[in-house]
Amino acid sequence: MWRIRLDSTTGNIALEVRDPEVLLTRFYTLDTEKYTLKELPLPQVQAWWQGLEDAEQGILYLHGYGNRQLGQHKGIVAIAEADGSKGWEVPELAFYGISAAGLVAYDPEQPEAPLQVLALATGQPTGVTLSQWQAAAAVAQFSPIRYRYCLYPVLYREGEPYFEEVRAFLGAQLRVQAVKAIEYAETGANLVVSFYTEEAAGKLRNELAIFDLEGVLHQKVQLGSGLSGIGSDTFFIFKHNLHFIQNKDILQVFRLLA
């Protein structure tokens, strides 16, 4: 499992699964209401050089690569979640984010040039251009509206005050010494914490713990071990369901207390 994105309008989850041994990439959509998984029938001959950017309004937005050695994203392809058909493609621009006005894109050959706003459904320019500051603000302002039913964790890095506070809590409740980073989310009934502990040879173990608001542990799950670094967005909560990836290839869903 390489990347996961939530379509906040349909409630579908978009998944990018990469197999480096055979250079294959597959894209899936998961219906979070029925929990049915659908593979999108994209041509495998070019899928390795595509990746998932985002999903919104029933469309997956994929990127290509300009400079493959540097991993530079270039090109935007819109794929329908329903059947994998291609809606539109803009080969010369790169995906930046999604705002209330539409999809924000930039020219990777001219990164200092104003960014363009494209219509989500058609990829056509809306005529709106944004400075880099305006683009960042537009995407950031739309995110709380877009994800109003979804909760992503906050990342606290080692040395930051909130990291130390949550680490002390984990130490008291679980007798563990968290290192590097902690991801934290709080609902009306639960505290969810993703944390790392040290293993042999400098490797890391990532675990997920679910507490009630009294600090009582309800569940603890190992997300991965033998890790060389930390991740981000190791879980998210959507409509009281906790979603996370275990061992890089298993999607788990837990129902949280309302």
Side-chain angles (χ1 to χ4, degrees):
M1 201 85 67
W2 183 260
R3 186 167 284 112
I4 179 171
R5 293 290 185 268
L6 173 68
D7 184 333
S8 63
T9 51
T10 66
N12 290 339
I13 293 175
L15 304 166
E16 176 186 348
V17 179
R18 301 181 77 86
D19 187 341
E21 294 185 1
V22 292
L23 298 182
L24 288 179
T25 304
R26 291 183 172 89
F27 300 94
Y28 300 84
T29 56
L30 175 69
D31 186 323
T32 59
E33 293 292 333
K34 301 176 181 178
Y35 289 103
T36 53
L37 186 67
K38 179 191 301 181
E39 181 178 357
L40 301 182
L42 303 182
Q44 284 297 318
V45 66
Q46 64 183 23
W48 179 253
W49 297 112
Q50 290 182 315
L52 176 64
E53 292 280 15
D54 214 329
E56 185 72 357
Q57 295 186 9
I59 301 172
L60 269 62
Y61 298 99
L62 307 182
H63 68 78
Y65 288 95
N67 187 321
R68 293 179 177 179
Q69 291 182 332
L70 297 177
Q72 178 196 59
H73 292 190
K74 185 177 182 180
I76 308 170
V77 181
I79 303 294
E81 293 176 12
D83 57 10
S85 61
K86 183 167 77 172
W88 54 266
E89 181 175 5
V90 180
E92 70 277 5
L93 297 178
F95 180 93
Y96 180 82
I98 294 177
S99 70
L103 186 150
V104 183
Y106 67 96
D107 185 347
E109 304 299 326
Q110 303 180 70
E112 301 302 320
L115 289 79
Q116 300 183 41
V117 178
L118 310 179
L120 288 171
T122 65
Q124 293 297 309
T126 62
V128 177
T129 59
L130 303 171
S131 68
Q132 292 188 7
W133 181 87
Q134 289 172 325
V139 172
Q141 289 168 4
F142 186 55
S143 185
I145 301 171
R146 183 183 175 198
Y147 294 118
R148 58 190 177 275
Y149 300 118
C150 181
L151 179 62
Y152 281 93
V154 178
L155 176 67
Y156 301 131
R157 296 186 180 273
E158 194 166 14
E160 296 177 348
Y162 285 117
F163 175 91
E164 301 300 334
E165 185 175 328
V166 181
R167 172 157 65 178
F169 170 78
L170 292 172
Q173 301 302 112
L174 303 180
R175 300 294 188 266
V176 298
Q177 178 72 8
V179 299
K180 302 294 185 182
I182 288 171
E183 288 193 301
Y184 176 90
E186 183 174 333
T187 71
N190 296 104
L191 309 175
V192 184
V193 186
S194 171
F195 62 95
Y196 298 86
T197 55
E198 291 184 334
E199 294 184 322
K203 297 297 184 178
L204 300 173
R205 175 181 299 169
N206 185 201
E207 295 183 277
L208 183 76
I210 306 169
F211 303 89
D212 63 25
L213 297 185
E214 301 299 322
V216 177
L217 178 69
H218 285 262
Q219 189 68 253
K220 185 160 77 75
V221 182
Q222 180 174 297
L223 301 186
S225 62
L227 305 175
S228 56
I230 67 169
S232 62
D233 292 340
T234 53
F235 68 89
F236 68 88
I237 301 165
F238 181 60
K239 293 184 176 179
H240 303 296
N241 286 337
L242 172 66
H243 299 74
F244 59 90
I245 303 297
Q246 189 174 26
N247 298 324
K248 299 182 180 180
D249 58 6
I250 302 172
L251 176 63
Q252 296 268 20
V253 183
F254 287 1
R255 182 70 173 176
L256 297 177
L257 297 175

